[in-house]
Amino acid sequence: MKNELKANSLKLKVKTKSLKFLVLSCSLTLCALSFALTGFAQEEAKPASGELIVKAWEVHGKKDVEQTFQYTQQLIDLYKDEADKQQVSLKVLPKSRNEIEAMQILNDVGTAYFIQGESYRNQGNNEEAIRAFKVVVDRYYYAQAWDPRGWFWSVSRASRESILKLNPDEPVRAPLPFEVPPEKLTKKQVSQITTKIALYDSGKEDFVNYEKYGEFQNTGTKDYKYDIKDQEGLSAAVGEGIYPNSTSMRWDPEFKKAQQEKRLEGSHWDFVHSPDLEAAFLKWATASEPQGVKLFYTGLILEKSGLIKQAIKCYYAIVVHFPGSYGWTYWHTPWYVGQAAISKIKFLLRRNPELGYKLVDADIRITNGYDNDLSNDVVIAKPGRFVKLSFFEKFKFRPYKALLSIKRSLPRPSSNAIHDLKEGRGLGRGKVHLIQYESGDWQLIVDNKPYVIRGITYSPTKVGESPDEHTQTNWMENDFNNNGKIDGPYDTFVDKNKNNKQDPSEPAVGDFDLMKKMGVNTIRLYHQPFKPDKKILRDLYNNYGIRVIMGDFFGKYALGSGAPWYPGTDYNNEGHKKNMMESVTNMVLEFKDEPYILFWLLGNENVYGIASNADKEPEDFFKFANEAASYIKSIDPQHPVAICSGDTLFLDKFGKNAPDIDIFGTNAYRGDYGFGYLWQQVKEEADLPVFITEFGCPSYAEGKTPDETEHQQAEYHRGSWEDIEYNMAFSGGMGNSIGGVVFEWLDEWWKAYEPRTHDTKGLFTGPFPDGYMHEEWLGLCSQGDGKLSPFLRQLRKAYFMYQKMWK
């Protein structure tokens, strides 16, 4: 800039001999230089678009209209031109997180217009609201907004939905494919007829003896390999669709028939949840995916069709041939298919003991597998072998229903187990502590008796309330019918006939009584942002026998740290750390002498990095969590300290940096077969007791009836709890499970953004009945049509399933 100005000045000097013009030239030069320096200073001071959009959301939630428009308009004025360039540069909707974040300015400008539309709508100015929403739909249709709960959503799709709600007759540009809600996008995209698989070639062996057809080399090392010597014989043994017999179904008459009927048209991913299982099998067995991924989904479809032995062969082919195969989750984190395949096989064999086999010595370890970097992974594989079950093992692994009547006859530690077995290690010596036996198994001990966490997340939210809009109230204070009793715990009723009315035969019973009858003995609760009522929690314990795991968010959502949402809690910031330690200390000092406290819980999947840098500096996060745990135990030696992590992300760093944390807790949503390698991985990296702090499944699935989806939800929970139970002390698994916390008690209608509507949109893909997480449908209880919220409860099948299992 300075050189350019000097050049301009010289040109003026050459062209004029007049002193007047020379002075004028210098004046212009100095003015231009001054303007340039001022502009440079303004550029330096210009706030980031991300900072402005966070502030805009905050004031919009507080219904501060003036500041909402101040921040959104400032963002638009500063970044609109750059947003236009980013929009034009795109041809398709960015999918991976890295791709989406590269378009942040586009995302933030589109979101600013969306916020303006919402603000106009809240003021009743529908005409201006529609105009703002249309800007997004017409000009910034590739914009995506980050939800603090962990996913991106299409701003244009939300804007289109808002326009149609305000005026269904309003002309709107025809939607692009990605703008269609998932419930419409997935509907009828592939064959929806209901079929089952009739195999043309099921193979000559049910449990293949791979040593007949090849050689296992370097088992248990990073150089493991299975060398096929007789491919023809192995193909004949495994049957169609299973490697190396992946193409034989092209000679299957059903394949040709399905082609002629055009039942194989569409993406193979859309077939994962199609009821046309025959077409899904044929499509996936011939899909152009990596072999491990292809085999896993082929096995899943065989499993759905009831062909369990063939599904097991399919999963085992992954273990033998492709132990290091991987796929990607919605968040672009690696999913190790071989480990999932071993877990699937063991689950299916336990569920089907009549098959008469178990898988032993199979193991796949991924060194450096707890981060998102595949380049440093080292795969160490042992394929193991199938062994016939003994008579006692067939009895032991009977399905849960068959075990109900004989469960008490199985060998179990007595209530005085602390004296029955030699103790190997203990954590704490208070009234709540942990014991590890010489066998390596763990138990939680409460008042000198083993305690299994049969927990649930209890956060009943009235329809229409939302933390996003700052309208959510404290359930411990709500008395909407003004009868002097708190609504959720004491005034709810069961709508048995699901007519959305309270009939004379449906008296108020309250959630506390319903949870007690279900078998719940623990709830998970945070002391922030709402203050817990000690009187209610004492009643919960004294009259219903339910204890409390009390948590501090520990900087998640910037709660407790004093940090702004953007960029969030910094676990190296001394001010943030001081605030968090004060928050934790206040929690412990206030509640440590309450009889209902089971133990303390730090965080809520902070490692995912939402409004914090725990994902970027995990070692610093765990070190500080360890510091907090150590201090907690110095002021309260009566209760252990747990962490709430996110699946097994950075588990190795947790094991190295948090020796004073007593229990590893984690939120995990892995599917209807349980939690796979999680138990083993914690044992190897930290050797601590484990509890699942969150797990659950929606009761909604596209194309299914409510009865069908309730059944699917219940089966998902059954598989999850059976896995939790199987890995408890003395139960046959890893022995480090101490229970789990179901997510959640009641549907919350605010989680897909419109708190007055029970939305069915899928928020992100995952291992759920229709492939999507419908987060407004996770409750074991429904609120019906919402008109009698917060009082009405419709109990789902999963509630009664737990009632049987937990009793």
Side-chain angles (χ1 to χ4, degrees), residues 385 527 559 692 698:
R385 65 190 189 283
H527 78 114
L559 286 170
I692 308 300

Side-chain angles (χ1 to χ4, degrees), residues 142-197:
Y142 286 126
Q144 299 179 75
W146 172 250
D147 185 287
R149 299 186 291 277
W151 55 82
F152 287 95
W153 51 277
S154 169
V155 186
S156 60
R157 185 168 67 198
S159 297
R160 179 182 303 282
E161 292 170 354
S162 296
I163 292 170
L164 295 177
K165 286 177 184 177
L166 292 170
N167 183 5
D169 299 322
E170 182 73 27
V172 185
R173 176 181 58 77
L176 298 172
F178 66 82
E179 293 178 299
V180 181
E183 58 265 27
K184 295 180 181 178
L185 182 64
T186 58
K187 195 171 184 178
K188 307 296 181 185
Q189 294 298 301
V190 297
S191 173
Q192 296 294 307
I193 67 172
T194 301
T195 65
K196 285 199 171 183
I197 303 167

Side-chain angles (χ1 to χ4, degrees), residues 491-739:
D491 251 1
T492 56
F493 72 94
V494 177
D495 179 20
K496 295 179 182 177
N497 56 12
K498 299 187 178 180
N499 65 353
N500 289 294
K501 295 189 297 185
Q502 186 172 10
D503 299 319
S505 61
E506 297 171 343
V509 290
D511 289 339
F512 285 0
D513 187 62
L514 290 172
M515 288 192 292
K516 177 183 177 181
K517 289 175 179 174
M518 176 179 148
V520 172
N521 65 4
T522 311
I523 66 167
R524 173 185 166 205
L525 181 70
Y526 286 85
H527 78 114
Q528 57 202 161
F530 297 118
K531 184 177 177 62
D533 187 314
K534 292 182 179 181
K535 182 179 178 182
I536 289 176
L537 297 180
R538 287 171 189 163
D539 184 61
L540 174 69
Y541 172 68
N542 291 329
N543 292 315
Y544 302 94
I546 298 175
R547 296 175 183 268
V548 175
I549 297 171
M550 184 69 76
D552 184 285
F553 280 108
F554 208 59
K556 177 69 178 285
Y557 315 119
L559 286 170
S561 68
W565 258 99
Y566 184 86
T569 302
D570 180 353
Y571 292 97
N572 287 308
N573 182 298
E574 293 303 321
H576 294 178
K577 289 165 68 175
K578 179 176 180 290
N579 291 338
M580 285 185 280
M581 194 66 84
E582 285 179 0
S583 177
V584 168
T585 301
N586 291 338
M587 171 186 72
V588 176
L589 292 178
E590 183 173 0
F591 293 99
K592 70 184 181 68
D593 296 323
E594 293 297 317
Y596 47 77
I597 294 295
L598 185 62
F599 53 76
W600 310 108
L601 185 66
L602 295 175
N604 179 43
E605 57 189 30
N606 301 45
V607 291
Y608 290 152
I610 299 170
S612 83
N613 69 344
D615 60 331
K616 300 175 181 64
E617 305 290 345
E619 292 191 54
D620 295 320
F621 166 70
F622 287 128
K623 285 177 181 177
F624 182 57
N626 189 71
E627 182 182 335
S630 178
Y631 182 69
I632 289 172
K633 291 191 286 187
S634 74
I635 58 175
D636 175 29
Q638 294 297 316
H639 302 97
V641 181
I643 198 165
C644 176
S645 203
D647 210 280
T648 56
L649 187 61
F650 305 124
L651 175 61
D652 53 342
K653 291 179 171 56
F654 166 79
K656 293 173 183 175
N657 293 287
D660 291 307
I661 291 178
D662 304 309
I663 304 168
F664 182 77
T666 191
N667 297 350
Y669 295 82
R670 293 197 176 189
D672 61 1
Y673 62 99
F675 306 96
Y677 260 58
L678 187 150
W679 315 102
Q680 178 178 331
Q681 290 170 327
V682 177
K683 196 173 191 71
E684 292 169 351
E685 298 295 336
D687 194 15
L688 289 176
V690 186
F691 83 111
I692 308 300
T693 42
E694 269 188 32
F695 66 97
C697 174
S699 67
Y700 176 87
E702 170 62 29
K704 299 294 183 181
T705 67
D707 187 69
E708 289 172 326
T709 55
E710 280 195 32
H711 176 75
Q712 289 176 323
Q713 182 192 41
E715 285 304 301
Y716 186 109
H717 276 280
R718 184 189 303 280
S720 297
W721 187 258
E722 285 179 351
D723 192 44
I724 289 171
E725 198 169 60
Y726 177 71
N727 284 284
M728 289 179 187
F730 323 114
S731 297
M734 299 309 297
N736 54 357
S737 167
I738 58 172

Side-chain angles (χ1 to χ4, degrees), residues 82-133:
E82 181 62 27
D84 290 338
K85 292 177 184 177
Q86 289 187 350
Q87 169 72 29
V88 171
S89 72
L90 295 171
K91 301 299 181 186
V92 295
L93 183 74
K95 291 185 177 180
S96 74
R97 183 165 178 172
N98 289 339
E99 291 172 343
I100 296 171
E101 289 177 344
M103 298 291 121
Q104 181 171 353
I105 289 176
L106 166 62
N107 297 335
D108 292 340
V109 169
T111 304
Y113 277 110
F114 177 80
I115 293 172
Q116 288 189 350
E118 283 206 327
S119 186
Y120 280 126
R121 182 193 63 189
N122 293 344
Q123 298 170 63
N125 191 342
N126 291 354
E127 185 177 340
E128 288 298 328
I130 289 173
R131 186 174 288 114
F133 289 135

Side-chain angles (χ1 to χ4, degrees), residues 461-465 495 499-501 747 749 755-758 782-794:
T461 303
K462 187 178 186 292
V463 168
E465 293 185 351
D495 179 20
N499 65 353
N500 289 294
K501 295 189 297 185
D747 286 348
W749 285 31
R756 295 161 193 84
T757 303
H758 206 186
S782 162
Q783 300 201 60
D785 63 8
K787 293 178 181 178
L788 289 183
S789 176
F791 303 104
L792 181 143
R793 301 287 185 264
Q794 293 175 358

Side-chain angles (χ1 to χ4, degrees), residues 132-148:
F133 289 135
K134 275 190 169 182
V135 172
V136 183
V137 172
D138 294 337
R139 296 182 59 179
Y140 302 111
Y141 43 83
Y142 286 126
Q144 299 179 75
W146 172 250
D147 185 287

